[in-house]
Amino acid sequence: MPKAKYEQIYKDIKQKIESGDYAYSELLPSENILIHTYDCSRNTVRRAIGMLVLDGYVQTIQGKGVRNIFRPVAQNSFVLGGIESFHESAIRNNKTGRTQVLQFMEIIADEKIQARTGFPLGSELYYIQRLHFLDEKPLIINHNYFLKSAVPGLTADIACHSIYDYIEHTLHMTIVNSKRIMTVEKITQVDEKYLHLDVNDYNCVAVVSSHTYNSDGVMFEFTQSRHRPDYFRFQDNAVRRIN
Amino acid sequence: MPKAKYEQIYKDIKQKIESGDYAYSELLPSENILIHTYDCSRNTVRRAIGMLVLDGYVQTIQGKGVRNIFRPVAQNSFVLGGIESFHESAIRNNKTGRTQVLQFMEIIADEKIQARTGFPLGSELYYIQRLHFLDEKPLIINHNYFLKSAVPGLTADIACHSIYDYIEHTLHMTIVNSKRIMTVEKITQVDEKYLHLDVNDYNCVAVVSSHTYNSDGVMFEFTQSRHRPDYFRFQDNAVRRIN
DNA sequence: GCCGATTTGTCCGTATGTATC
DNA sequence: CGATACATACGGACAAATCGG
């Protein structure tokens, strides 16, 4: 449902790259050709290409052209990337996902929670603890804090399906960006119990902490995700900038 | 040194945000005002703002304005972010860095290396193993593979200072982008020995594997960085996209 | 080495659409 | 409803880099 023209062009070129229509390390058609292909202005083509650069799909070279540097990844583990829910990830990785709600409660942010999550003191929050299974294997424990005023009406029933689905399709709120920090931590007894980890095997988990904002610029979610280390895989593309 | 006008505007606004000239969760001056402030076109202002969005510094809200969502981070550990060398990171984190070269050899890519690094079979490579210290504490073991044809004349002496400095300032090659994958792995005997890790304490390391490209679109480097888990911290900002 | 054609990079002005207030 | 603000799109101009003759 992307109405924007640059989105359509972006998706079309992306699909062509993924399906191998353009060979690895070869140049794409020039901007001029793409302008005629898609019947649009130069800026619009350039915007689509700019998004592919951010994806790490292509590289632009002044005076030469746009080079395809996309390489398909071996999809043998659970790959994290942009902002997406567990269910979206599961589908993208061609697996079946299931979620179990371990805890669901309403709390008020005290100093400790304020320091950990960044929510103002006294905020009314939902605290949810969930366990995510992929192909019936427990992979992730999530500790979610949602701002009640931004995500009203959350229930345990919704939490065991998809909270993001509820947020976007029922509340019609738009999720915009998410600041994430990845670290490695010692496993806790909770991790050990639910993720079926043995301290003699791995004694760490991969931890992703995220602050997520909606289209009003309000931070409405803080989540700490604790991942089984042997299934954790995070992908990223960094673009070098002048300082 | 940034001659581009949008770079200057980007840096100026970024600095203003970091120094608190704009309060958290408040709106920045409107595009129209910024156009007059910087005496430029609307596209140029929008480009600068677009970069700040990618940085997770601001969020644009149609019909309202641009909201400052920047929060300073507690700089108590070694923070990874964009593409930068260990020395650059050390400086940014206000620490003193030192590098020790453990191995330096020239090799030819066989099937095993091809599979691991993505370099074509038979490529001539430099293989370098280095240990990075921060404030005299060993934090990272790097396994570097450099394409000899792209980075000629590399020596152990250069490797113990800064290879990126050599690449950019002596060879005048431009580093463009880097595809990275983060995982968690069991520690090896090498890790244990050099990072001074105790298996009874942490038995894992954080691993960052990266494929790095230059401005010719050539992948010239593959590196596996193995980090002490208690000092590893990776930051990221993800922007939600329509599918 | 120079020159001209091609290609990407930067910048501007304008018009129209859409969301907020 | 009108004013304001961001989003999309177009077209044009010039600069900078690459490449072939």
Side-chain angles (χ1 to χ4, degrees), chain A residues 47 53 67 76 81 83 112 145 156 161 168 176 178 230 235:
Chain A
R47 183 156 181 185
V53 169
R67 180 154 285 159
N76 46 358
I83 303 178
K112 198 176 155 191
Y145 299 82
H161 293 93
E168 295 195 312
V176 174
S178 184
D230 46 351
Q235 284 198 25

Side-chain angles (χ1 to χ4, degrees), chain A residues 7 24 59 67 69 83 168 176 178-180 182 186 201 203 213 216 234 236-238 240-241, chain B residues 24 59 67 69 83 168 176-180 182 186 201 203 213 216 234 236 238 240 242:
Chain A
E7 284 278 355
Y24 176 76
Q59 199 46 256
R67 180 154 285 159
I69 56 170
I83 303 178
E168 295 195 312
V176 174
S178 184
K179 305 185 199 181
R180 296 179 292 196
M182 259 153 289
K186 289 270 193 61
D201 192 13
N203 68 8
Y213 291 74
D216 290 327
F234 179 86
D236 175 56
N237 180 60
R240 177 85 162 171
R241 295 245 191 95
Chain B
Y24 176 77
Q59 200 46 256
R67 179 154 287 161
I69 57 170
I83 303 178
E168 296 195 312
V176 174
N177 78 326
S178 184
K179 304 184 199 182
R180 296 180 292 198
M182 259 151 289
K186 287 269 192 64
D201 192 15
N203 69 6
Y213 291 74
D216 290 327
F234 179 85
D236 173 57
R240 177 87 163 169
I242 39 276

Side-chain angles (χ1 to χ4, degrees), chain A residues 192-212:
Chain A
E192 198 172 344
K193 176 180 172 189
Y194 289 111
L195 295 179
H196 300 172
L197 283 169
D198 182 0
V199 191
N200 298 317
D201 192 13
Y202 286 92
N203 68 8
C204 300
V205 289
V207 178
V208 182
S209 305
S210 54
H211 295 85
T212 309

Side-chain angles (χ1 to χ4, degrees), chain A residues 2 7 10-11 14 24-25 43 46-47 51 53-61 64 67 69-71 73 81-85 88 117-120 164 168 175-186 198-206 211 213-219 229-230 232-243, chain B residues 2 7 10-11 14 24-25 43 46-47 51 53-62 64 67 69-71 73 81-85 88 117-120 164 168 175-186 199-206 211 213-219 229-230 232-243:
Chain A
E7 284 278 355
Y10 162 72
K11 286 178 64 175
K14 186 171 188 172
Y24 176 76
S25 88
N43 283 336
R46 285 179 61 74
R47 183 156 181 185
M51 293 171 71
V53 169
L54 291 179
D55 288 342
Y57 271 45
V58 301
Q59 199 46 256
T60 61
I61 309 167
K64 288 189 78 171
R67 180 154 285 159
I69 56 170
F70 170 77
R71 286 206 164 156
V73 278
I83 303 178
E84 56 182 8
S85 69
E88 289 169 326
T117 67
F119 284 118
Y164 271 31
E168 295 195 312
I175 297 158
V176 174
N177 80 326
S178 184
K179 305 185 199 181
R180 296 179 292 196
I181 296 172
M182 259 153 289
T183 54
V184 175
E185 291 184 17
K186 289 270 193 61
D198 182 0
V199 191
N200 298 317
D201 192 13
Y202 286 92
N203 68 8
C204 300
V205 289
H211 295 85
Y213 291 74
N214 67 13
S215 58
D216 290 327
V218 178
M219 185 190 100
D230 46 351
F232 177 76
R233 184 186 176 89
F234 179 86
Q235 284 198 25
D236 175 56
N237 180 60
V239 179
R240 177 85 162 171
R241 295 245 191 95
I242 39 277
N243 212 9
Chain B
E7 284 277 357
Y10 161 71
K11 286 178 63 174
K14 186 171 187 173
Y24 176 77
S25 91
N43 283 336
R46 284 179 61 74
R47 186 157 178 186
M51 293 169 73
V53 169
L54 292 179
D55 288 342
Y57 271 46
V58 301
Q59 200 46 256
T60 61
I61 309 167
Q62 188 172 3
K64 287 188 78 172
R67 179 154 287 161
I69 57 170
F70 169 77
R71 287 211 164 154
V73 278
I83 303 178
E84 58 183 4
S85 70
E88 290 168 327
T117 68
F119 284 117
Y164 271 31
E168 296 195 312
I175 298 159
V176 174
N177 78 326
S178 184
K179 304 184 199 182
R180 296 180 292 198
I181 296 172
M182 259 151 289
T183 54
V184 175
E185 290 185 17
K186 287 269 192 64
V199 191
N200 298 318
D201 192 15
Y202 285 93
N203 69 6
C204 300
V205 289
H211 295 84
Y213 291 74
N214 66 14
S215 58
D216 290 327
V218 178
M219 186 189 98
D230 46 351
F232 176 76
R233 185 185 176 91
F234 179 85
Q235 285 197 22
D236 173 57
N237 181 58
V239 180
R240 177 87 163 169
R241 295 244 193 95
I242 39 276
N243 212 12

